[in-house]
Amino acid sequence: MDYLMAFFVGGAFCAIGQILIDKTKLTPARILVGYVLIGVLLGGLGLYDKLVEIAGAGASVPLTGFGNVIAKGIRQAVDEKGFLGIFTGGLTASAGGITAAVLAGLLMSLIFRPKDKS
């Protein structure tokens, strides 16, 4: 059942994104930023954790999950460090994921030799 819920929730995120691409003039980049923002807002309100309980990786892996991690990090850092935690918490909480993405991008660029589209 866990796999099905992850599939349906993650699939719903993807379907909504595809509908937004097809039916609006929003660029994919703006939609992705919107997903992160929604994750931050729902995480900040404490609602995203309930979705993660239901959907597992279907909710924690997409970009909305990244936004939730940022919100959690900020909440935790504010509790520990006060006002300065607003500026440091999101980066501290998401540093591992950001580092992995940068290193994977670097590795792929070395392996596949990217070229301009023109």
Side-chain angles (χ1 to χ4, degrees):
M1 191 63 172
D2 291 340
Y3 294 120
L4 283 175
M5 289 306 297
F7 176 78
F8 286 125
V9 171
F13 285 144
C14 294
I16 291 167
Q18 189 63 51
I19 290 168
L20 289 172
I21 289 170
D22 292 344
K23 302 292 182 184
T24 68
K25 293 186 180 203
L26 292 172
T27 63
R30 289 179 187 224
I31 294 168
L32 296 176
V33 169
Y35 272 0
V36 173
L37 179 63
I38 289 169
V40 168
L41 292 174
L42 292 176
L45 295 172
L47 301 174
Y48 204 82
D49 290 335
K50 293 176 178 131
L51 183 61
V52 171
E53 286 177 24
I54 295 168
S60 62
V61 173
L63 283 173
T64 51
F66 177 67
N68 181 45
V69 167
I70 291 172
K72 273 185 176 179
I74 291 171
R75 276 197 317 257
Q76 183 179 7
V78 166
D79 290 342
E80 293 173 3
K81 300 176 186 175
F83 182 75
L84 280 178
I86 294 172
F87 304 107
T88 62
L91 292 173
T92 303
S94 61
I98 293 170
T99 302
V102 169
L103 291 177
L106 175 65
L107 181 63
M108 293 300 114
S109 72
L110 293 173
I111 293 171
F112 294 105
R113 307 271 184 200
K115 297 178 180 93
D116 288 336
K117 287 186 175 184
S118 58

